[in-house]
Amino acid sequence: MTVLLTYLCKVILCSAVLYSYYYIALRNNRFHQWNRYYLLLITMVSLLTPLLHIPLPGQDHESSRVLSYTARMINIRETVITANPGLSSGVILNALYISIIGLFITRIGISLFKIRQLIRRSQVQEIPPYRFVKNEAIKAPFSFFRYIFWDHHTSLNSPEGQQIFKHELVHLQEKHSADKLFMELVTACCWINPFFHLIKRELALVHEFMADKKAAGEEIAGYAQTILQMAFQSKQFSITNDFFHPPIKRRILMLTQFHTPRFSYLRRILVLPLAAFIFCSLAFVADKRPSAMRALTAIAPSSIESATTAVMDTTPVKNKAKGEVFTFVDQPPQFQGGEEALMKYLSKSIRYPKAAVEKNITGTVYVQFIVDQDGDVQDVHTVGKNLGFGLNEEAVRVVKAMPQWVPGMQNKRKVSVQFNLPIRFELDGKPAAGKTVTFAAPDNNEIFTFVEQPPKFPGGEEALMKYLSRNIHYPEAAQKAKTDGTVFVQFVVKSDGSITDAKTVGPKKGNGLEEEAIQVIKKMPKWQPGVQNNRPVSVQFNMPIKFALN
């Protein structure tokens, strides 16, 4: 109910502001076609603008922080183990609102059915592009889409009959019935919004003004007399266009008003900044995507055998890079010339340390560094096991000497990005001077912290939340001890989608919260694995699960 109520409040606010401008500046003016389109447009703007959520980019001056693949926070309350919570007030209000919508839609359906039945029982004459319908049950002339309904008491050949016929013909030509049916559906679905009902009534009057103006021609006095003589004829259906449409006073006023209001064009143009203000106020929101959540673990090295995983708290990481530091972005940083140029640079620049050659030491060094907004390489260090004999030092030296990169992009702006570079030292049996370094290609044992396509729970994030909400139960011991808080679960989504290495990081809450979170994570179905270089790879993932007591 909260989502629906918020949406309806935004719709009412938007339609109130835009209709108020119409009432003050545009109402009772002779630019009827403009007013027609304006009333239709403000209705659509009011309905659609609250549905838009255009994220605004984050501020550049925010404190530095390292980001990683992190799921949206999952809230688990002790009430999830309640067997049958019963109907909530929100469900009842939703059902009531939808029921009233159903009644209004039914009323529209009945009106359409009655019109259809009337056509079937009547004498229909095909006169393209319209159809002329006559029946004794018709009390007064009216039109609906391609049909003009005519009663037996009004003579079509009389001057009054010709004026009425021209009036209804304008409704057909301008397709006013489509406007009326649209507004009937809108007021049925948003019946709680009083401004939509005002817009519907005003739009029907604008239709009459347009038809009166074209049908009257030069015979304004005679046309006004016709309106007055037959003003008390009853209406047939609420969704049809009737010649005898009240209020009569405003219709005659529009016929006899010849002066052009001052600042006519200015009145119409001033609505543009007002509409822009409404759009920006309701459509733009702060960017709260999961990629902007803080990571609770340091980046895991890309080798299981030699990896050592460090854990850090939620304190923002301070480094030399400017602004916040991302681990995955819309457009990753790139070495000048691409990956082939990077491999050539490493092969030419790195020399196998003599001590490592003598001891026959091989292996992969994982260098971690930051490419800042300017493309400069910062904060270069190795992670994982130190191979020794100068291999780590040589890798760091060459990375620090790199030329500027093409910086990464996030939300169409340059950002600092953390980068992992595996460098594999291999001995080929040749003299030391000929030793080169191979830029390591990913293998099945590597674990990535960011990839081109992140891993995904089958069905998406909403399906993941439903799975956790249904399967996690608040431990009884934690409820009795009133233990709550957020448990951060870290696991690896392997290249086949299976879950492994599930563990918790950060301060322990106790009383079974960690154990409950881990056991549900381990039972998860296979994920869609992450993809790097067009092949599935293993990816580290963080998932915060919040246990909250009511």
Side-chain angles (χ1 to χ4, degrees):
M1 185 61 188
T2 303
V3 176
L4 177 61
L5 183 61
T6 302
Y7 171 74
L8 290 175
C9 289
K10 290 181 178 180
V11 170
I12 293 173
L13 175 63
C14 186
S15 58
V17 174
L18 295 175
Y19 179 78
S20 298
Y21 180 82
Y22 168 85
Y23 192 88
I24 295 170
L26 304 177
R27 184 174 178 264
N28 287 338
N29 288 303
R30 289 177 62 84
F31 34 80
H32 305 312
Q33 194 71 268
W34 172 274
N35 284 349
R36 175 197 179 188
Y37 292 138
Y38 177 80
L39 290 170
L40 290 171
L41 184 62
I42 64 175
T43 302
M44 291 186 285
V45 168
S46 300
L47 290 171
L48 297 178
T49 301
L51 296 175
L52 299 176
H53 292 83
I54 303 173
L56 291 172
Q59 301 292 331
D60 285 339
H61 61 269
E62 290 180 0
S63 59
S64 300
R65 59 184 183 269
V66 175
L67 309 175
S68 181
Y69 288 125
T70 308
R72 182 165 46 168
M73 183 75 72
I74 309 298
N75 290 277
I76 303 297
R77 299 183 180 274
E78 81 279 8
T79 52
V80 298
I81 61 175
T82 304
N84 185 13
L87 293 176
S88 64
S89 58
V91 173
I92 295 173
L93 291 175
N94 278 335
L96 178 63
Y97 186 85
I98 294 174
S99 299
I100 297 176
I101 291 177
L103 292 176
F104 281 111
I105 296 293
T106 302
R107 189 193 69 171
I108 296 173
I110 292 173
S111 295
L112 293 173
F113 177 76
K114 288 183 177 180
I115 293 173
R116 182 65 178 169
Q117 291 297 104
L118 179 61
I119 294 173
R120 289 182 175 179
R121 297 195 307 265
S122 303
Q123 178 185 352
V124 181
Q125 184 179 1
E126 188 78 27
I127 308 177
Y130 59 87
R131 295 175 181 177
F132 198 77
V133 181
K134 294 190 70 174
N135 192 298
E136 293 182 356
I138 300 173
K139 304 299 181 184
F142 66 93
S143 61
F144 186 67
F145 285 97
R146 295 178 57 194
Y147 294 91
I148 295 179
F149 297 82
W150 204 265
D151 65 298
H152 286 281
H153 307 290
T154 305
S155 174
L156 182 61
N157 296 322
S158 65
E160 295 83 4
Q162 285 297 305
Q163 288 176 331
I164 295 173
F165 179 78
K166 290 178 181 179
H167 178 99
E168 299 303 332
L169 194 58
V170 172
H171 285 312
L172 266 66
Q173 293 170 343
E174 296 291 338
K175 297 179 173 57
H176 290 165
S177 295
D179 296 356
K180 293 179 73 71
L181 185 59
F182 170 71
M183 288 308 304
E184 287 289 341
L185 293 173
V186 168
T187 51
C189 295
C190 293
W191 56 265
I192 200 171
N193 184 0
F195 296 99
F196 280 164
H197 295 277
L198 294 174
I199 291 172
K200 181 179 76 171
R201 186 182 67 178
E202 194 66 26
L203 182 61
L205 274 172
V206 170
H207 289 165
E208 299 307 316
F209 297 157
M210 293 172 64
D212 288 342
K213 182 179 178 180
K214 292 185 178 182
E218 300 296 329
E219 299 293 331
I220 295 176
Y223 190 86
Q225 185 178 1
T226 301
I227 295 176
L228 289 172
Q229 286 178 348
M230 308 185 72
F232 298 102
Q233 295 288 348
S234 61
K235 294 184 67 179
Q236 302 287 311
F237 304 98
S238 61
I239 61 174
T240 57
N241 297 289
D242 299 87
F243 175 76
F244 312 108
H245 190 287
I248 303 302
K249 181 179 179 180
R250 283 188 64 191
R251 290 180 63 182
I252 296 177
L253 177 65
M254 287 295 102
L255 280 173
T256 57
Q257 177 180 314
F258 296 103
H259 74 280
T260 302
R262 296 181 64 189
F263 312 113
S264 172
Y265 289 102
L266 183 61
R267 294 185 186 196
R268 284 176 269 184
I269 293 174
L270 280 178
V271 73
L272 297 178
L274 177 64
F277 172 76
I278 291 292
F279 179 83
C280 294
S281 300
L282 298 180
F284 287 100
V285 295
D287 191 351
K288 298 180 179 179
R289 294 180 298 173
S291 61
M293 298 181 67
R294 293 181 183 177
L296 298 179
T297 60
I299 302 302
S302 301
S303 174
I304 296 177
E305 292 83 358
S306 60
T308 58
T309 302
V311 178
M312 64 183 180
D313 59 22
T314 57
T315 305
V317 176
K318 301 296 182 180
N319 51 63
K320 298 178 182 178
K322 302 173 183 178
E324 56 189 359
V325 180
F326 292 80
T327 56
F328 67 100
V329 287
D330 298 335
Q331 183 178 330
Q334 186 180 34
F335 188 83
Q336 296 284 355
E339 189 172 284
E340 292 297 327
L342 173 59
M343 294 175 67
K344 289 181 181 179
Y345 169 81
L346 292 174
S347 298
K348 291 178 180 179
S349 303
I350 295 185
R351 291 295 177 263
Y352 218 113
K354 184 177 180 180
V357 174
E358 293 174 351
K359 295 291 185 179
N360 200 32
I361 303 298
T362 62
T364 303
V365 175
Y366 297 92
V367 184
Q368 188 178 96
F369 55 94
I370 293 171
V371 180
D372 67 13
Q373 299 99 315
D374 300 322
D376 295 328
V377 175
Q378 305 269 359
D379 193 20
V380 182
H381 61 278
T382 60
V383 292
K385 184 179 179 181
N386 190 331
L387 300 181
F389 299 95
L391 294 182
N392 290 57
E393 291 78 3
E394 179 64 12
V396 169
R397 179 191 68 80
V398 174
V399 170
K400 283 184 176 180
M402 280 182 177
Q404 282 189 330
W405 286 46
V406 178
M409 302 287 288
Q410 179 74 5
N411 295 327
K412 297 182 179 180
R413 65 185 181 91
K414 296 178 180 179
V415 294
S416 299
V417 182
Q418 192 175 66
F419 204 91
N420 294 328
L421 181 63
I423 301 175
R424 179 169 298 157
F425 289 83
E426 295 178 344
L427 292 169
D428 56 13
K430 295 180 181 180
K435 305 302 177 189
T436 59
V437 177
T438 301
F439 179 65
D443 57 43
N444 293 331
N445 290 328
E446 290 180 318
I447 301 175
F448 289 77
T449 53
F450 67 98
V451 287
E452 295 167 354
Q453 295 182 22
K456 183 179 179 182
F457 187 85
E461 191 172 271
E462 294 300 325
L464 171 61
M465 296 181 67
K466 288 181 181 179
Y467 168 83
L468 293 173
S469 299
R470 290 174 181 172
N471 291 277
I472 293 186
H473 299 289
Y474 213 113
E476 187 176 349
Q479 292 187 51
K480 291 180 179 179
K482 296 184 178 181
T483 303
D484 59 6
T486 302
V487 175
F488 295 91
V489 184
Q490 183 182 98
F491 54 93
V492 174
V493 181
K494 298 188 71 175
S495 57
D496 62 355
S498 60
I499 304 300
T500 185
D501 295 340
K503 61 183 178 181
T504 60
V505 294
K508 190 173 182 179
K509 309 300 177 184
N511 291 316
L513 295 185
E514 282 81 6
E515 291 77 6
E516 179 66 18
I518 289 177
Q519 66 91 13
V520 173
I521 295 297
K522 288 182 176 180
K523 292 180 181 178
M524 282 196 296
K526 284 189 175 183
W527 286 42
Q528 297 175 15
V531 177
Q532 180 72 11
N533 295 327
N534 297 322
R535 70 180 187 87
V537 293
S538 299
V539 183
Q540 188 183 72
F541 205 89
N542 299 323
M543 183 174 295
I545 301 176
K546 184 177 182 180
F547 290 84
L549 291 164
N550 284 333

